[in-house]
Amino acid sequence: MGVPTRADLAGIPDYIIPGRPPGAILLNSNESSLPPLPAVVEAVARAASQGNRYPQWFSEDLVARLAAEMEVPESWVAIGCGSVSLCQQLIQAYCAPGDEVLCAWRSFEAYPVFARVAGAQSRTVPLDPGHRHDLAAMADAVSPATRVVFVCNPNNPTGTAVGTRELRDFVERIPGDVLVVLDEAYREFVTDPDVPDGLLLARERENVAVLRTFSKAYGLAGIRVGYCVGSPAVVSAVNKVAVPFAVSGPAQAAATAALDHIAEVTERCLAVAAERERVRHRLLKAGLSVPASQANFLWLPLGGRSESFAEFCADRGALVRRFGDEGVRVTVGAREHNDVFLRAAEEYAATGWPT
Ligand code: PMP
């Protein structure tokens, strides 16, 4: 008999670790298909040569740089070991056992897990029939126990986004002592001008914080840097529960170097967005249902066919991410890799939807 863990640990679902068999085309983790820019790799190497020293505690240089870019005071920015770590820190800082975290479902699967790890409850509100956040239902679902509400915009895994008016109406309905977290991990891929920039809301309201990441648009998923923008009270709460030195020196240097090359980053994101539209139109033409996406991935609500579709694609070399019997999420990758996936999807549709 080993040492017993806390009683509720076994009931908390494990984070699903995507498969990476050698040689497979990886369209299952919303990563960038391109490696970091050469200048970023050089900055990482330079920082690694100082690896005997601890990194800056609060990533001060990166905070200063981001604050200048966003035109907010430095006290408004916290850095984390990926934005996933900031999700956890926010819940830890704001929720005690018995409190509630509210989010849409499906949305990013880490939110309910982190709620339970913190001893809080998670409450989920189904997406609307268009696979979008049902913000009116979410506002209705806020209870006296609710401390944190996540709005993932664009939403993972559906790619759908909410517009400016509906997000503003929603935020206005949320009590001032409930924290609204706008998770904008995929913000840089947004092309619809009606999708709001969460920073504008965070500037106006003390109870709104924004999460962003270098993992997707900047192609630094393996290097681990994300940031939180919010009022100084939110930022100091997030920093208080941080694991000391969790953001390594090479990670801080990589993010700063990536910001020096924002034009290339933007160009890459526009190319991904254009490719997203090409892939979506081919899928629609093949008869598949695919909601419009503002992210670097597409959602196929295949229901009970999700498993057979994912296996069909995997057998043809392209790995996609299946979410139970709800659907499949496919990352927009390199054009030739997307074509492998598209041929599989078209073959699947043409063979009469094998189950
Ligand atoms: N938020 C959302 C919505 C995500 O999809 C992800 C990554 N899958 C994250 C946060 C976390 O990303 P990272 O920790 O790499 O910044």
Side-chain angles (χ1 to χ4, degrees), residues 15 29-30 81-85 87 107-109 111 152-156 183-186 211-216 220-221 224-227 297 329:
Y15 194 84
S29 291
N30 294 347
C81 177
S83 60
V84 74
S85 155
C87 291
S107 190
F108 185 32
E109 64 264 42
Y111 309 142
C152 186
N153 202 35
N155 187 44
N156 177 12
D183 184 342
E184 297 188 336
Y186 302 95
L211 293 180
R212 296 212 177 145
T213 181
F214 285 87
S215 294
K216 313 294 178 182
L220 302 182
R224 315 299 307 132
V225 199
Y227 56 103
F297 54 85
R329 186 192 69 197

PDB file of all heavy atoms in Angstrom, residues 15 29-30 81-85 87 107-109 111 152-156 183-186 211-216 220-221 224-227 297 329, ligand 1:
ATOM      1  N   TYR A  15      -5.181  15.261 -17.892  1.00  0.00           N
ATOM      2  CA  TYR A  15      -5.062  16.045 -19.129  1.00  0.00           C
ATOM      3  C   TYR A  15      -4.720  15.050 -20.231  1.00  0.00           C
ATOM      4  O   TYR A  15      -3.855  14.184 -20.049  1.00  0.00           O
ATOM      5  CB  TYR A  15      -3.955  17.088 -18.964  1.00  0.00           C
ATOM      6  CG  TYR A  15      -3.963  18.159 -20.017  1.00  0.00           C
ATOM      7  CD1 TYR A  15      -4.790  19.272 -19.903  1.00  0.00           C
ATOM      8  CD2 TYR A  15      -3.143  18.072 -21.139  1.00  0.00           C
ATOM      9  CE1 TYR A  15      -4.805  20.267 -20.869  1.00  0.00           C
ATOM     10  CE2 TYR A  15      -3.150  19.060 -22.107  1.00  0.00           C
ATOM     11  CZ  TYR A  15      -3.985  20.150 -21.961  1.00  0.00           C
ATOM     12  OH  TYR A  15      -3.998  21.136 -22.924  1.00  0.00           O
ATOM     13  N   SER A  29      -2.649  19.336 -31.985  1.00  0.00           N
ATOM     14  CA  SER A  29      -2.320  20.120 -30.778  1.00  0.00           C
ATOM     15  C   SER A  29      -2.322  21.626 -30.992  1.00  0.00           C
ATOM     16  O   SER A  29      -1.815  22.352 -30.130  1.00  0.00           O
ATOM     17  CB  SER A  29      -0.951  19.703 -30.233  1.00  0.00           C
ATOM     18  OG  SER A  29      -1.028  18.403 -29.709  1.00  0.00           O
ATOM     19  N   ASN A  30      -2.847  22.098 -32.101  1.00  0.00           N
ATOM     20  CA  ASN A  30      -2.916  23.542 -32.368  1.00  0.00           C
ATOM     21  C   ASN A  30      -1.557  24.226 -32.296  1.00  0.00           C
ATOM     22  O   ASN A  30      -1.453  25.395 -31.891  1.00  0.00           O
ATOM     23  CB  ASN A  30      -3.894  24.235 -31.395  1.00  0.00           C
ATOM     24  CG  ASN A  30      -5.308  23.772 -31.619  1.00  0.00           C
ATOM     25  OD1 ASN A  30      -5.603  23.133 -32.621  1.00  0.00           O
ATOM     26  ND2 ASN A  30      -6.194  24.097 -30.685  1.00  0.00           N
ATOM     27  N   CYS A  81       4.388  30.334 -17.090  1.00  0.00           N
ATOM     28  CA  CYS A  81       4.985  29.218 -17.828  1.00  0.00           C
ATOM     29  C   CYS A  81       3.902  28.649 -18.755  1.00  0.00           C
ATOM     30  O   CYS A  81       3.285  27.624 -18.490  1.00  0.00           O
ATOM     31  CB  CYS A  81       5.489  28.187 -16.830  1.00  0.00           C
ATOM     32  SG  CYS A  81       6.171  26.741 -17.606  1.00  0.00           S
ATOM     33  N   GLY A  82       3.635  29.388 -19.819  1.00  0.00           N
ATOM     34  CA  GLY A  82       2.495  29.098 -20.686  1.00  0.00           C
ATOM     35  C   GLY A  82       1.258  29.744 -20.073  1.00  0.00           C
ATOM     36  O   GLY A  82       1.208  29.983 -18.859  1.00  0.00           O
ATOM     37  N   SER A  83       0.263  30.032 -20.917  1.00  0.00           N
ATOM     38  CA  SER A  83      -0.940  30.642 -20.334  1.00  0.00           C
ATOM     39  C   SER A  83      -1.746  29.626 -19.541  1.00  0.00           C
ATOM     40  O   SER A  83      -2.563  29.986 -18.708  1.00  0.00           O
ATOM     41  CB  SER A  83      -1.786  31.312 -21.420  1.00  0.00           C
ATOM     42  OG  SER A  83      -2.197  30.390 -22.379  1.00  0.00           O
ATOM     43  N   VAL A  84      -1.476  28.339 -19.777  1.00  0.00           N
ATOM     44  CA  VAL A  84      -2.187  27.320 -18.993  1.00  0.00           C
ATOM     45  C   VAL A  84      -1.836  27.462 -17.516  1.00  0.00           C
ATOM     46  O   VAL A  84      -2.670  27.282 -16.629  1.00  0.00           O
ATOM     47  CB  VAL A  84      -1.874  25.898 -19.540  1.00  0.00           C
ATOM     48  CG1 VAL A  84      -0.481  25.420 -19.185  1.00  0.00           C
ATOM     49  CG2 VAL A  84      -2.903  24.891 -19.084  1.00  0.00           C
ATOM     50  N   SER A  85      -0.589  27.830 -17.274  1.00  0.00           N
ATOM     51  CA  SER A  85      -0.170  27.992 -15.895  1.00  0.00           C
ATOM     52  C   SER A  85      -0.877  29.214 -15.280  1.00  0.00           C
ATOM     53  O   SER A  85      -1.272  29.196 -14.103  1.00  0.00           O
ATOM     54  CB  SER A  85       1.351  28.099 -15.917  1.00  0.00           C
ATOM     55  OG  SER A  85       1.819  28.768 -14.859  1.00  0.00           O
ATOM     56  N   CYS A  87      -3.887  30.205 -16.119  1.00  0.00           N
ATOM     57  CA  CYS A  87      -5.270  29.757 -15.823  1.00  0.00           C
ATOM     58  C   CYS A  87      -5.307  29.173 -14.418  1.00  0.00           C
ATOM     59  O   CYS A  87      -6.189  29.474 -13.614  1.00  0.00           O
ATOM     60  CB  CYS A  87      -5.720  28.639 -16.767  1.00  0.00           C
ATOM     61  SG  CYS A  87      -5.972  29.090 -18.462  1.00  0.00           S
ATOM     62  N   SER A 107     -15.128  23.679 -23.987  1.00  0.00           N
ATOM     63  CA  SER A 107     -14.147  24.734 -24.107  1.00  0.00           C
ATOM     64  C   SER A 107     -12.819  24.114 -23.686  1.00  0.00           C
ATOM     65  O   SER A 107     -12.701  22.873 -23.679  1.00  0.00           O
ATOM     66  CB  SER A 107     -14.565  25.913 -23.241  1.00  0.00           C
ATOM     67  OG  SER A 107     -13.764  27.046 -23.511  1.00  0.00           O
ATOM     68  N   PHE A 108     -11.853  24.936 -23.357  1.00  0.00           N
ATOM     69  CA  PHE A 108     -10.529  24.406 -23.012  1.00  0.00           C
ATOM     70  C   PHE A 108     -10.661  23.496 -21.781  1.00  0.00           C
ATOM     71  O   PHE A 108     -11.161  23.925 -20.738  1.00  0.00           O
ATOM     72  CB  PHE A 108      -9.590  25.580 -22.743  1.00  0.00           C
ATOM     73  CG  PHE A 108      -8.163  25.214 -22.491  1.00  0.00           C
ATOM     74  CD1 PHE A 108      -7.567  24.117 -23.094  1.00  0.00           C
ATOM     75  CD2 PHE A 108      -7.393  25.997 -21.635  1.00  0.00           C
ATOM     76  CE1 PHE A 108      -6.239  23.794 -22.866  1.00  0.00           C
ATOM     77  CE2 PHE A 108      -6.064  25.696 -21.407  1.00  0.00           C
ATOM     78  CZ  PHE A 108      -5.492  24.588 -22.016  1.00  0.00           C
ATOM     79  N   GLU A 109     -10.220  22.245 -21.934  1.00  0.00           N
ATOM     80  CA  GLU A 109     -10.512  21.254 -20.896  1.00  0.00           C
ATOM     81  C   GLU A 109      -9.755  21.474 -19.594  1.00  0.00           C
ATOM     82  O   GLU A 109     -10.062  20.850 -18.581  1.00  0.00           O
ATOM     83  CB  GLU A 109     -10.289  19.836 -21.414  1.00  0.00           C
ATOM     84  CG  GLU A 109      -8.865  19.487 -21.797  1.00  0.00           C
ATOM     85  CD  GLU A 109      -8.609  19.658 -23.290  1.00  0.00           C
ATOM     86  OE1 GLU A 109      -9.083  20.674 -23.859  1.00  0.00           O
ATOM     87  OE2 GLU A 109      -7.935  18.814 -23.877  1.00  0.00           O
ATOM     88  N   TYR A 111      -9.835  24.173 -17.744  1.00  0.00           N
ATOM     89  CA  TYR A 111     -10.538  25.000 -16.751  1.00  0.00           C
ATOM     90  C   TYR A 111     -11.211  24.148 -15.655  1.00  0.00           C
ATOM     91  O   TYR A 111     -10.982  24.383 -14.470  1.00  0.00           O
ATOM     92  CB  TYR A 111     -11.593  25.924 -17.391  1.00  0.00           C
ATOM     93  CG  TYR A 111     -11.155  26.785 -18.561  1.00  0.00           C
ATOM     94  CD1 TYR A 111     -12.024  26.999 -19.636  1.00  0.00           C
ATOM     95  CD2 TYR A 111      -9.916  27.403 -18.605  1.00  0.00           C
ATOM     96  CE1 TYR A 111     -11.664  27.798 -20.715  1.00  0.00           C
ATOM     97  CE2 TYR A 111      -9.551  28.199 -19.684  1.00  0.00           C
ATOM     98  CZ  TYR A 111     -10.425  28.384 -20.736  1.00  0.00           C
ATOM     99  OH  TYR A 111     -10.067  29.172 -21.801  1.00  0.00           O
ATOM    100  N   CYS A 152     -13.477  31.792 -23.531  1.00  0.00           N
ATOM    101  CA  CYS A 152     -12.365  31.450 -24.416  1.00  0.00           C
ATOM    102  C   CYS A 152     -12.719  31.974 -25.803  1.00  0.00           C
ATOM    103  O   CYS A 152     -13.630  31.458 -26.451  1.00  0.00           O
ATOM    104  CB  CYS A 152     -12.224  29.926 -24.412  1.00  0.00           C
ATOM    105  SG  CYS A 152     -10.811  29.320 -25.305  1.00  0.00           S
ATOM    106  N   ASN A 153     -12.007  32.994 -26.242  1.00  0.00           N
ATOM    107  CA  ASN A 153     -12.407  33.712 -27.463  1.00  0.00           C
ATOM    108  C   ASN A 153     -11.207  34.000 -28.353  1.00  0.00           C
ATOM    109  O   ASN A 153     -10.395  34.855 -28.019  1.00  0.00           O
ATOM    110  CB  ASN A 153     -13.082  35.026 -27.052  1.00  0.00           C
ATOM    111  CG  ASN A 153     -13.980  35.565 -28.140  1.00  0.00           C
ATOM    112  OD1 ASN A 153     -14.605  34.803 -28.861  1.00  0.00           O
ATOM    113  ND2 ASN A 153     -14.056  36.878 -28.267  1.00  0.00           N
ATOM    114  N   PRO A 154     -11.078  33.310 -29.497  1.00  0.00           N
ATOM    115  CA  PRO A 154     -11.901  32.222 -30.024  1.00  0.00           C
ATOM    116  C   PRO A 154     -11.839  30.976 -29.124  1.00  0.00           C
ATOM    117  O   PRO A 154     -10.864  30.769 -28.419  1.00  0.00           O
ATOM    118  CB  PRO A 154     -11.266  31.914 -31.382  1.00  0.00           C
ATOM    119  CG  PRO A 154     -10.397  33.082 -31.711  1.00  0.00           C
ATOM    120  CD  PRO A 154      -9.981  33.687 -30.421  1.00  0.00           C
ATOM    121  N   ASN A 155     -12.925  30.191 -29.244  1.00  0.00           N
ATOM    122  CA  ASN A 155     -13.043  29.039 -28.349  1.00  0.00           C
ATOM    123  C   ASN A 155     -12.261  27.824 -28.855  1.00  0.00           C
ATOM    124  O   ASN A 155     -12.327  27.474 -30.028  1.00  0.00           O
ATOM    125  CB  ASN A 155     -14.526  28.652 -28.237  1.00  0.00           C
ATOM    126  CG  ASN A 155     -14.766  27.569 -27.193  1.00  0.00           C
ATOM    127  OD1 ASN A 155     -14.214  27.633 -26.102  1.00  0.00           O
ATOM    128  ND2 ASN A 155     -15.574  26.574 -27.530  1.00  0.00           N
ATOM    129  N   ASN A 156     -11.550  27.198 -27.936  1.00  0.00           N
ATOM    130  CA  ASN A 156     -10.946  25.897 -28.191  1.00  0.00           C
ATOM    131  C   ASN A 156     -11.901  24.857 -27.610  1.00  0.00           C
ATOM    132  O   ASN A 156     -12.206  24.966 -26.427  1.00  0.00           O
ATOM    133  CB  ASN A 156      -9.571  25.836 -27.492  1.00  0.00           C
ATOM    134  CG  ASN A 156      -8.907  24.491 -27.651  1.00  0.00           C
ATOM    135  OD1 ASN A 156      -9.322  23.663 -28.446  1.00  0.00           O
ATOM    136  ND2 ASN A 156      -7.875  24.250 -26.865  1.00  0.00           N
ATOM    137  N   ASP A 183      -9.807  34.356 -22.270  1.00  0.00           N
ATOM    138  CA  ASP A 183      -8.659  33.558 -22.719  1.00  0.00           C
ATOM    139  C   ASP A 183      -8.525  33.752 -24.224  1.00  0.00           C
ATOM    140  O   ASP A 183      -9.311  33.226 -25.009  1.00  0.00           O
ATOM    141  CB  ASP A 183      -8.889  32.084 -22.356  1.00  0.00           C
ATOM    142  CG  ASP A 183      -7.683  31.220 -22.703  1.00  0.00           C
ATOM    143  OD1 ASP A 183      -6.835  31.653 -23.516  1.00  0.00           O
ATOM    144  OD2 ASP A 183      -7.599  30.094 -22.171  1.00  0.00           O
ATOM    145  N   GLU A 184      -7.512  34.520 -24.599  1.00  0.00           N
ATOM    146  CA  GLU A 184      -7.305  34.863 -26.010  1.00  0.00           C
ATOM    147  C   GLU A 184      -6.054  34.173 -26.562  1.00  0.00           C
ATOM    148  O   GLU A 184      -5.250  34.797 -27.262  1.00  0.00           O
ATOM    149  CB  GLU A 184      -7.214  36.383 -26.171  1.00  0.00           C
ATOM    150  CG  GLU A 184      -8.511  37.075 -25.762  1.00  0.00           C
ATOM    151  CD  GLU A 184      -8.538  38.568 -26.094  1.00  0.00           C
ATOM    152  OE1 GLU A 184      -7.449  39.183 -26.220  1.00  0.00           O
ATOM    153  OE2 GLU A 184      -9.645  39.116 -26.225  1.00  0.00           O
ATOM    154  N   ALA A 185      -5.929  32.880 -26.274  1.00  0.00           N
ATOM    155  CA  ALA A 185      -4.744  32.136 -26.732  1.00  0.00           C
ATOM    156  C   ALA A 185      -4.602  32.180 -28.256  1.00  0.00           C
ATOM    157  O   ALA A 185      -3.493  32.060 -28.779  1.00  0.00           O
ATOM    158  CB  ALA A 185      -4.827  30.686 -26.252  1.00  0.00           C
ATOM    159  N   TYR A 186      -5.735  32.336 -28.966  1.00  0.00           N
ATOM    160  CA  TYR A 186      -5.706  32.291 -30.438  1.00  0.00           C
ATOM    161  C   TYR A 186      -5.999  33.652 -31.072  1.00  0.00           C
ATOM    162  O   TYR A 186      -6.302  33.742 -32.252  1.00  0.00           O
ATOM    163  CB  TYR A 186      -6.707  31.228 -30.927  1.00  0.00           C
ATOM    164  CG  TYR A 186      -6.382  29.870 -30.354  1.00  0.00           C
ATOM    165  CD1 TYR A 186      -7.016  29.412 -29.200  1.00  0.00           C
ATOM    166  CD2 TYR A 186      -5.399  29.078 -30.928  1.00  0.00           C
ATOM    167  CE1 TYR A 186      -6.685  28.188 -28.641  1.00  0.00           C
ATOM    168  CE2 TYR A 186      -5.062  27.850 -30.372  1.00  0.00           C
ATOM    169  CZ  TYR A 186      -5.710  27.416 -29.232  1.00  0.00           C
ATOM    170  OH  TYR A 186      -5.366  26.202 -28.671  1.00  0.00           O
ATOM    171  N   LEU A 211      -5.835  36.603 -21.031  1.00  0.00           N
ATOM    172  CA  LEU A 211      -4.693  35.683 -21.139  1.00  0.00           C
ATOM    173  C   LEU A 211      -4.281  35.565 -22.590  1.00  0.00           C
ATOM    174  O   LEU A 211      -5.127  35.390 -23.474  1.00  0.00           O
ATOM    175  CB  LEU A 211      -5.082  34.288 -20.633  1.00  0.00           C
ATOM    176  CG  LEU A 211      -5.391  34.151 -19.159  1.00  0.00           C
ATOM    177  CD1 LEU A 211      -5.745  32.703 -18.839  1.00  0.00           C
ATOM    178  CD2 LEU A 211      -4.207  34.602 -18.313  1.00  0.00           C
ATOM    179  N   ARG A 212      -2.989  35.628 -22.809  1.00  0.00           N
ATOM    180  CA  ARG A 212      -2.449  35.418 -24.156  1.00  0.00           C
ATOM    181  C   ARG A 212      -1.211  34.531 -24.051  1.00  0.00           C
ATOM    182  O   ARG A 212      -0.681  34.324 -22.962  1.00  0.00           O
ATOM    183  CB  ARG A 212      -2.091  36.753 -24.812  1.00  0.00           C
ATOM    184  CG  ARG A 212      -3.337  37.606 -25.026  1.00  0.00           C
ATOM    185  CD  ARG A 212      -3.235  38.461 -26.244  1.00  0.00           C
ATOM    186  NE  ARG A 212      -4.481  39.198 -26.438  1.00  0.00           N
ATOM    187  CZ  ARG A 212      -4.554  40.421 -26.929  1.00  0.00           C
ATOM    188  NH1 ARG A 212      -3.438  41.063 -27.264  1.00  0.00           N
ATOM    189  NH2 ARG A 212      -5.715  41.008 -27.109  1.00  0.00           N
ATOM    190  N   THR A 213      -0.764  34.047 -25.195  1.00  0.00           N
ATOM    191  CA  THR A 213       0.347  33.084 -25.151  1.00  0.00           C
ATOM    192  C   THR A 213       1.299  33.258 -26.326  1.00  0.00           C
ATOM    193  O   THR A 213       0.896  33.754 -27.389  1.00  0.00           O
ATOM    194  CB  THR A 213      -0.206  31.642 -25.150  1.00  0.00           C
ATOM    195  OG1 THR A 213       0.908  30.740 -25.094  1.00  0.00           O
ATOM    196  CG2 THR A 213      -1.027  31.329 -26.391  1.00  0.00           C
ATOM    197  N   PHE A 214       2.532  32.853 -26.116  1.00  0.00           N
ATOM    198  CA  PHE A 214       3.509  32.803 -27.213  1.00  0.00           C
ATOM    199  C   PHE A 214       3.503  31.426 -27.882  1.00  0.00           C
ATOM    200  O   PHE A 214       4.279  31.176 -28.798  1.00  0.00           O
ATOM    201  CB  PHE A 214       4.914  33.125 -26.674  1.00  0.00           C
ATOM    202  CG  PHE A 214       5.099  34.593 -26.382  1.00  0.00           C
ATOM    203  CD1 PHE A 214       4.749  35.123 -25.158  1.00  0.00           C
ATOM    204  CD2 PHE A 214       5.600  35.449 -27.354  1.00  0.00           C
ATOM    205  CE1 PHE A 214       4.883  36.482 -24.891  1.00  0.00           C
ATOM    206  CE2 PHE A 214       5.745  36.808 -27.111  1.00  0.00           C
ATOM    207  CZ  PHE A 214       5.384  37.321 -25.872  1.00  0.00           C
ATOM    208  N   SER A 215       2.630  30.530 -27.406  1.00  0.00           N
ATOM    209  CA  SER A 215       2.674  29.137 -27.889  1.00  0.00           C
ATOM    210  C   SER A 215       2.147  28.951 -29.297  1.00  0.00           C
ATOM    211  O   SER A 215       2.590  28.058 -30.002  1.00  0.00           O
ATOM    212  CB  SER A 215       1.842  28.246 -26.967  1.00  0.00           C
ATOM    213  OG  SER A 215       2.424  28.169 -25.702  1.00  0.00           O
ATOM    214  N   LYS A 216       1.170  29.756 -29.684  1.00  0.00           N
ATOM    215  CA  LYS A 216       0.459  29.480 -30.942  1.00  0.00           C
ATOM    216  C   LYS A 216       0.997  30.363 -32.059  1.00  0.00           C
ATOM    217  O   LYS A 216       1.746  29.904 -32.899  1.00  0.00           O
ATOM    218  CB  LYS A 216      -1.045  29.704 -30.737  1.00  0.00           C
ATOM    219  CG  LYS A 216      -1.607  29.045 -29.475  1.00  0.00           C
ATOM    220  CD  LYS A 216      -1.562  27.547 -29.531  1.00  0.00           C
ATOM    221  CE  LYS A 216      -2.079  26.937 -28.238  1.00  0.00           C
ATOM    222  NZ  LYS A 216      -2.009  25.483 -28.236  1.00  0.00           N
ATOM    223  N   LEU A 220       5.995  29.152 -30.097  1.00  0.00           N
ATOM    224  CA  LEU A 220       6.892  28.813 -28.989  1.00  0.00           C
ATOM    225  C   LEU A 220       6.245  27.843 -27.995  1.00  0.00           C
ATOM    226  O   LEU A 220       6.540  27.903 -26.793  1.00  0.00           O
ATOM    227  CB  LEU A 220       7.335  30.096 -28.261  1.00  0.00           C
ATOM    228  CG  LEU A 220       8.044  31.162 -29.111  1.00  0.00           C
ATOM    229  CD1 LEU A 220       8.476  32.345 -28.249  1.00  0.00           C
ATOM    230  CD2 LEU A 220       9.259  30.562 -29.799  1.00  0.00           C
ATOM    231  N   ALA A 221       5.399  26.940 -28.487  1.00  0.00           N
ATOM    232  CA  ALA A 221       4.673  26.035 -27.571  1.00  0.00           C
ATOM    233  C   ALA A 221       5.633  25.231 -26.688  1.00  0.00           C
ATOM    234  O   ALA A 221       5.338  24.960 -25.522  1.00  0.00           O
ATOM    235  CB  ALA A 221       3.770  25.096 -28.371  1.00  0.00           C
ATOM    236  N   ARG A 224       7.335  27.694 -23.676  1.00  0.00           N
ATOM    237  CA  ARG A 224       6.480  27.935 -22.533  1.00  0.00           C
ATOM    238  C   ARG A 224       6.498  29.356 -21.990  1.00  0.00           C
ATOM    239  O   ARG A 224       7.155  29.640 -20.973  1.00  0.00           O
ATOM    240  CB  ARG A 224       6.794  26.939 -21.380  1.00  0.00           C
ATOM    241  CG  ARG A 224       6.965  25.489 -21.764  1.00  0.00           C
ATOM    242  CD  ARG A 224       5.730  24.870 -22.399  1.00  0.00           C
ATOM    243  NE  ARG A 224       4.556  25.040 -21.599  1.00  0.00           N
ATOM    244  CZ  ARG A 224       3.385  25.487 -22.108  1.00  0.00           C
ATOM    245  NH1 ARG A 224       3.243  25.767 -23.379  1.00  0.00           N
ATOM    246  NH2 ARG A 224       2.352  25.621 -21.318  1.00  0.00           N
ATOM    247  N   VAL A 225       5.795  30.239 -22.636  1.00  0.00           N
ATOM    248  CA  VAL A 225       5.578  31.591 -22.095  1.00  0.00           C
ATOM    249  C   VAL A 225       4.164  32.059 -22.445  1.00  0.00           C
ATOM    250  O   VAL A 225       3.734  31.963 -23.595  1.00  0.00           O
ATOM    251  CB  VAL A 225       6.511  32.677 -22.697  1.00  0.00           C
ATOM    252  CG1 VAL A 225       6.553  33.910 -21.784  1.00  0.00           C
ATOM    253  CG2 VAL A 225       7.896  32.173 -22.968  1.00  0.00           C
ATOM    254  N   GLY A 226       3.478  32.549 -21.433  1.00  0.00           N
ATOM    255  CA  GLY A 226       2.181  33.180 -21.657  1.00  0.00           C
ATOM    256  C   GLY A 226       2.112  34.419 -20.781  1.00  0.00           C
ATOM    257  O   GLY A 226       2.991  34.654 -19.940  1.00  0.00           O
ATOM    258  N   TYR A 227       1.086  35.242 -20.987  1.00  0.00           N
ATOM    259  CA  TYR A 227       0.972  36.426 -20.127  1.00  0.00           C
ATOM    260  C   TYR A 227      -0.473  36.752 -19.811  1.00  0.00           C
ATOM    261  O   TYR A 227      -1.398  36.355 -20.524  1.00  0.00           O
ATOM    262  CB  TYR A 227       1.713  37.636 -20.714  1.00  0.00           C
ATOM    263  CG  TYR A 227       1.330  38.071 -22.105  1.00  0.00           C
ATOM    264  CD1 TYR A 227       0.513  39.198 -22.302  1.00  0.00           C
ATOM    265  CD2 TYR A 227       1.803  37.406 -23.219  1.00  0.00           C
ATOM    266  CE1 TYR A 227       0.188  39.630 -23.581  1.00  0.00           C
ATOM    267  CE2 TYR A 227       1.478  37.824 -24.501  1.00  0.00           C
ATOM    268  CZ  TYR A 227       0.668  38.934 -24.677  1.00  0.00           C
ATOM    269  OH  TYR A 227       0.357  39.350 -25.942  1.00  0.00           O
ATOM    270  N   PHE A 297      -7.364  26.434 -36.092  1.00  0.00           N
ATOM    271  CA  PHE A 297      -7.901  25.072 -36.175  1.00  0.00           C
ATOM    272  C   PHE A 297      -9.365  25.134 -36.584  1.00  0.00           C
ATOM    273  O   PHE A 297      -9.986  26.204 -36.565  1.00  0.00           O
ATOM    274  CB  PHE A 297      -7.754  24.345 -34.823  1.00  0.00           C
ATOM    275  CG  PHE A 297      -8.348  25.106 -33.673  1.00  0.00           C
ATOM    276  CD1 PHE A 297      -9.702  25.020 -33.358  1.00  0.00           C
ATOM    277  CD2 PHE A 297      -7.561  25.961 -32.911  1.00  0.00           C
ATOM    278  CE1 PHE A 297     -10.256  25.741 -32.320  1.00  0.00           C
ATOM    279  CE2 PHE A 297      -8.112  26.695 -31.867  1.00  0.00           C
ATOM    280  CZ  PHE A 297      -9.447  26.582 -31.573  1.00  0.00           C
ATOM    281  N   ARG A 329     -11.179  18.041 -33.776  1.00  0.00           N
ATOM    282  CA  ARG A 329     -10.538  19.333 -34.026  1.00  0.00           C
ATOM    283  C   ARG A 329      -9.292  19.092 -34.877  1.00  0.00           C
ATOM    284  O   ARG A 329      -8.488  18.206 -34.564  1.00  0.00           O
ATOM    285  CB  ARG A 329     -10.138  19.955 -32.690  1.00  0.00           C
ATOM    286  CG  ARG A 329      -9.588  21.367 -32.789  1.00  0.00           C
ATOM    287  CD  ARG A 329      -8.951  21.799 -31.484  1.00  0.00           C
ATOM    288  NE  ARG A 329      -7.734  21.048 -31.258  1.00  0.00           N
ATOM    289  CZ  ARG A 329      -7.108  20.940 -30.085  1.00  0.00           C
ATOM    290  NH1 ARG A 329      -7.589  21.524 -29.012  1.00  0.00           N
ATOM    291  NH2 ARG A 329      -5.994  20.235 -29.980  1.00  0.00           N
TER     292      ARG A 329
HETATM  293  N1  PMP B   1      -5.876  28.532 -23.465  1.00  0.00           N
HETATM  294  C1  PMP B   1      -6.370  27.862 -24.499  1.00  0.00           C
HETATM  295  C2  PMP B   1      -7.729  28.176 -24.971  1.00  0.00           C
HETATM  296  C3  PMP B   1      -5.625  26.873 -25.117  1.00  0.00           C
HETATM  297  O1  PMP B   1      -6.150  26.194 -26.143  1.00  0.00           O
HETATM  298  C4  PMP B   1      -4.324  26.595 -24.663  1.00  0.00           C
HETATM  299  C5  PMP B   1      -3.457  25.549 -25.282  1.00  0.00           C
HETATM  300  N2  PMP B   1      -4.039  24.430 -25.747  1.00  0.00           N
HETATM  301  C6  PMP B   1      -3.861  27.329 -23.591  1.00  0.00           C
HETATM  302  C7  PMP B   1      -4.663  28.297 -23.012  1.00  0.00           C
HETATM  303  C8  PMP B   1      -2.531  27.094 -23.004  1.00  0.00           C
HETATM  304  O2  PMP B   1      -1.488  27.339 -23.861  1.00  0.00           O
HETATM  305  P1  PMP B   1      -0.019  27.546 -23.339  1.00  0.00           P
HETATM  306  O3  PMP B   1       0.055  27.058 -21.937  1.00  0.00           O
HETATM  307  O4  PMP B   1       0.838  26.766 -24.247  1.00  0.00           O
HETATM  308  O5  PMP B   1       0.219  29.013 -23.389  1.00  0.00           O
END
